[in-house]
Amino acid sequence: MKTKSLDVKLKQIGEGLSELRRRKGYDTIRDFAKAHKLPEIQYWRIENGKTNLTLKSLTRLLHIHKLSLEDFFCKLEI
C-alpha cells in the first residue's frame, strides 16, 4: 500500500473517531482523553491521522463507544 493511501485511510479513521467523540458529548479531545484515561497527545494524533494506529488501540477506543470493528468500518465507507 502506498504511504499516501495509508495516510488518507488513517485520516478517515481519525475523523470517524472524532465524530464518535462529539456524539458522546465531548467537545474537546482533552475532555474525552481525561474521562477515559487516554494519553491526550496520542489520542490527538489518532484523531488527526498523525500516527499509525494499532488494532489494539482502535479496539480499545471502539470499546469506549460500544462499537465493533465491523460496525465502525461500515459507517466509515472506506
Side-chain angles (χ1 to χ4, degrees):
M1 180 178 291
K2 294 181 182 179
T3 301
K4 188 170 185 170
S5 178
L6 178 60
D7 291 344
V8 169
K9 297 216 183 304
L10 288 172
K11 185 75 174 162
Q12 289 172 319
I13 291 169
E15 289 168 358
L17 291 170
S18 178
E19 182 179 328
L20 290 173
R21 171 182 52 80
R22 287 190 304 273
R23 283 185 190 172
K24 270 197 160 319
Y26 294 97
D27 293 328
T28 67
I29 288 172
R30 173 174 282 168
D31 291 341
F32 180 79
K34 187 175 181 178
H36 297 285
K37 297 183 172 95
L38 301 169
E40 183 182 339
I41 296 299
Q42 181 64 16
Y43 188 71
W44 178 90
R45 289 182 185 134
I46 291 169
E47 274 201 16
N48 288 279
K50 303 288 185 190
T51 190
N52 193 0
L53 182 61
T54 65
L55 184 57
K56 184 177 181 178
S57 295
L58 180 58
T59 301
R60 180 178 179 205
L61 293 171
L62 294 179
H63 179 74
I64 291 169
H65 296 290
K66 297 180 176 36
L67 277 177
S68 68
L69 285 168
E70 295 84 5
D71 290 340
F72 178 69
F73 282 108
C74 284
K75 290 180 182 190
L76 280 185
E77 299 176 19
I78 292 182

